[in-house]
Amino acid sequence: VQLQASGGGLVQAGGSLRLSCAVSGRTSSAYVVAWFRQAPGREREFVQGIGISRRGSITHSLDSVKGRFTISRDNANNTVYLQMNSLKPEDTAVYYCATAISYSTVVPTVAERYNYWGQGTQVTVSS
């Protein structure tokens, strides 16, 4: 399984970015895909993840991004997106996408549960 993250950049506070995570080697719709981020000097933290249930997609989110970030999945293109609105300087970090192939209906928030990782994309929010 390979993941390719893209879409990062420099944006002013209040602006928006959309990150993309292209998954190859396995159908992304069958298991959990999540976004993590890591700021300098800080531990990697869970941001948002998406799984699947009988009723459709399920998501789980870090409290500080609820209402601002939205994760979605394009099954046809095997891609997961993270739409980030109302960005704040504290959102500045390297963002990583990852897959947890042992999980589908529960979204883990611990990095150790994720098996494959993308290379990361830098998001910088200026004040």
Side-chain angles (χ1 to χ4, degrees):
V1 178
Q2 293 185 328
L3 295 90
Q4 181 73 35
S6 61
L10 172 64
V11 64
Q12 289 187 335
S16 298
L17 284 173
R18 188 177 80 158
L19 305 184
S20 299
C21 178
V23 181
S24 61
R26 196 159 179 165
T27 302
S28 67
S29 62
Y31 47 85
V32 170
V33 179
W35 289 93
F36 285 75
R37 67 186 180 186
Q38 188 166 20
R42 302 189 64 178
E43 293 185 354
R44 190 169 298 190
E45 68 174 352
F46 172 87
V47 178
Q48 279 195 336
I50 186 166
I52 189 166
S53 71
R54 293 180 181 177
R55 298 181 180 180
S57 293
I58 57 172
T59 62
H60 186 64
S61 179
L62 179 70
D63 285 346
S64 62
V65 306
K66 285 181 179 178
R68 300 189 298 121
F69 291 11
T70 303
I71 191 170
S72 62
R73 192 200 305 261
D74 181 347
N75 292 333
N77 292 309
N78 233 18
T79 301
V80 174
Y81 301 100
L82 184 67
Q83 178 66 44
M84 305 186 296
N85 299 328
S86 302
L87 282 162
K88 304 176 181 180
E90 51 264 42
D91 295 318
T92 295
V94 177
Y95 283 70
Y96 299 89
C97 60
T99 65
I101 61 174
S102 298
Y103 295 86
S104 58
T105 60
V106 173
V107 178
T109 60
V110 178
E112 287 76 15
R113 296 285 187 265
Y114 289 80
N115 315 93
Y116 300 96
W117 293 81
Q119 82 287 4
T121 184
Q122 176 71 47
V123 171
T124 303
V125 184
S126 63
S127 57

